Amino acid sequence: MRILCEALSVSVEDALLLPAVSAELSGPGVVALTGANGTGKTTLLKTLAGRMRPTHGSCMFYASREDGFTGPPSEHDPTFRAEVASLIDTPPMARDMTLSEQLTLVASSWGARADRAEQADDELLDRLTIPQLAGRFPHELSAGQLQLFTVALTLSRPGGLLLFDEPERHLDEQRVEEVISVLEERASAGALVVTATHRAEIIERCDGQLNLGPVGSR
């Protein structure tokens, strides 16, 4: 997948949320989205996810395979939705479903067979070192456990483009290592991963970096 942003900016009323940025992102690989707070990292991720529209400039996706999505990001397009998985805000969760049940529901809704979805979900929880939480409910988790689960929930569905807004939030160093390793594995499997982060140990492991700079620099 290749994404081309040309003089892309986003404003809401009189507030400039994302100053003009021009960049090319291509995968597979992991790209670190960096910059001071307030430079527009989250806004850019929401724009790539089709949840916000550019006020000026453009953003265009170019598929790397015939059945992939080509065009401006649009969450109303089913091909686009099938291509993009994002963890930007806390995703919706059912209070009365266990972690395992919710992961299986998401994977199944994107076409995985129920038995394969259950196996993949067990593998995800194990990979993120929280298999013991499979039978728990979201409201029973600590902040760090909930963060790991939201990462697993995002990865439980297919996606050629994965967008993360500081997936290391609330995590200690060991858990940060586990998260970046999982993202690297998805990139090795062919995905383009874009993750906003402030952590040097994550940035150093990424294949590329898009730095939005300090506040007011553009």
Side-chain angles (χ1 to χ4, degrees), residues 28-217:
V30 184
V31 177
L33 180 58
T34 62
N37 291 332
T39 53
K41 297 187 299 298
T42 299
T43 300
L44 179 56
L45 289 173
K46 288 181 177 180
T47 304
L48 296 179
R51 292 164 52 179
M52 298 186 77
R53 292 186 177 182
T55 307
H56 298 289
S58 65
C59 180
M60 184 66 69
F61 283 48
Y62 297 92
S64 56
R65 61 181 196 278
E66 289 186 5
D67 61 342
F69 177 80
T70 294
S74 170
E75 62 180 352
H76 297 292
D77 187 302
T79 307
F80 176 82
R81 292 199 306 270
E83 193 76 35
V84 181
S86 63
L87 177 56
I88 299 174
D89 303 312
T90 301
M93 302 177 208
R95 182 179 174 86
D96 58 348
M97 294 179 67
T98 66
L99 305 195
S100 180
E101 290 169 341
Q102 298 198 53
L103 289 170
T104 299
L105 175 63
V106 170
S108 298
S109 70
W110 288 97
R113 284 183 0 193
D115 58 343
R116 181 67 188 104
E118 291 178 6
Q119 178 184 348
D121 298 337
D122 289 342
E123 292 171 356
L124 260 178
L125 293 176
D126 186 63
R127 186 66 186 80
L128 290 167
T129 67
I130 50 173
Q132 74 280 7
L133 303 178
R136 301 272 292 276
F137 298 97
H139 61 274
E140 297 177 326
L141 306 181
S142 69
Q145 291 171 338
L146 185 61
Q147 181 67 14
L148 288 171
F149 173 60
T150 60
V151 171
L153 199 60
T154 306
L155 296 174
S156 66
R157 49 157 295 186
L161 174 64
L162 304 177
L163 305 171
F164 291 90
D165 193 1
E166 298 183 33
E168 72 275 14
R169 209 172 292 174
H170 308 302
L171 301 180
D172 58 29
E173 290 185 7
Q174 179 180 347
R175 297 298 188 265
V176 170
E177 165 66 27
E178 290 157 1
V179 167
I180 187 59
S181 293
V182 169
L183 299 188
E184 288 175 331
E185 290 168 7
R186 282 303 173 95
S188 295
L192 170 59
V193 182
V194 181
T195 180
T197 183
H198 293 284
R199 300 286 289 264
E201 61 267 42
I202 293 180
I203 297 169
E204 291 170 357
R205 295 267 293 274
C206 290
D207 302 294
Q209 180 180 355
L210 173 56
N211 186 1
L212 299 185
V215 175
S217 64

